[in-house]
Amino acid sequence: MKDQPLIDTALKAELSALYSAGDRHYHNLAHIEAMLALAGDYRAQLGDPEAVEAAIWFHDAIYDSKAKGNEARSAALAEEKLAGRTDADRLSRISAMILATATHQLPRFDDAAATRDASLFLDMDLSILGAAPDAFDAYERAVRREYDWVEEPMWRAGRGAVLKDFLARPHIFHTEEFRQRFEPQARLNMARSLEALAMG
């Protein structure tokens, strides 16, 4: 089973089609490619780089801004598509990483390497928060377009609550590497965004 890659060319094509849907303005292939690039940067620190890559490919595979449970549905799709390509333990680790993107709280693993992989994976997913201001602003606009069905007052309240939740955490990022690289800018970006939301 180990000889077969977790994510082969056919599966990449299938997932790429999902990420290329017209209503995806941020949760699209560019987001996946950005995360894969970060996984490349930190590959030497990953215990199971292929499992992290699989989690990246699947974590937003199902994305409907009007639905709850996208993460659970994406994890279920990963379990279905990867069944037979790897062992059950590894599959459950991949699934747990995907599910964790709902709250960005670390899943509980007994294995330190698995915890470390999940920490880096979740940090990669949030790295856009610590991007340069222009890139962060483009991200905010793209997410707003994905929720264009939400009326402005509701959007401001909902988005504001999400940003406040992250800002209230002792750390936005789980790993020291990402805290150093992205945390100061992430806090500046989100504080600025909150200010803009409050001004209406």
Side-chain angles (χ1 to χ4, degrees):
M1 281 195 295
K2 287 279 188 189
D3 294 342
Q4 184 181 12
L6 275 176
I7 307 280
D8 58 20
T9 309
L11 196 46
K12 279 182 187 174
E14 196 179 326
L15 291 167
S16 295
L18 293 176
Y19 285 108
S20 302
D23 58 351
R24 288 176 178 254
H25 304 288
Y26 173 70
H27 294 88
N28 54 24
L29 214 45
H31 170 52
I32 300 306
E33 285 164 354
M35 285 184 70
L36 290 170
L38 282 168
D41 290 349
Y42 293 93
R43 190 177 179 88
Q45 296 180 39
L46 295 172
D48 187 347
E50 270 209 322
V52 171
E53 185 183 333
I56 290 171
W57 270 105
F58 276 100
H59 82 287
D60 284 326
I62 307 293
Y63 186 78
D64 174 357
S65 67
K66 294 182 179 176
K68 296 233 183 286
N70 287 320
E71 296 85 3
R73 288 166 64 209
S74 295
L77 183 68
E79 288 179 12
E80 176 199 325
K81 296 288 182 185
L82 299 176
R85 293 181 186 227
T86 191
D87 59 78
D89 281 353
R90 197 172 183 217
L91 200 47
S92 74
R93 279 206 321 273
I94 292 167
S95 183
M97 284 193 276
I98 295 166
L99 288 169
T101 61
T103 59
H104 277 271
Q105 305 287 358
L106 264 183
R108 297 195 181 283
F109 292 123
D110 297 334
D111 178 340
T115 303
R116 171 82 173 148
D117 282 1
S119 303
L120 284 162
F121 163 73
L122 290 172
D123 285 356
M124 290 168 199
D125 192 29
L126 289 185
S127 62
I128 186 66
L129 297 178
D134 288 356
F136 175 82
D137 291 348
Y139 149 74
E140 290 270 89
R141 287 192 299 274
V143 172
R144 179 66 182 108
R145 285 179 71 197
E146 290 181 340
Y147 284 86
D148 60 2
W149 54 274
V150 178
E151 290 182 21
E152 191 63 17
M154 288 290 290
W155 168 256
R156 287 174 185 275
R159 186 66 181 167
V162 169
L163 295 173
K164 281 178 189 160
D165 174 65
F166 276 119
L167 283 169
R169 296 182 183 195
H171 299 289
I172 294 162
F173 296 99
H174 294 286
T175 65
E176 194 54 46
E177 294 87 341
F178 276 74
R179 285 174 194 165
Q180 288 182 8
R181 185 171 170 183
F182 294 111
E183 183 113 8
Q185 188 60 49
R187 289 192 177 273
L188 289 172
N189 285 338
M190 289 195 286
R192 186 167 51 81
S193 186
L194 260 178
E195 217 169 275
L197 289 167
M199 283 169 67

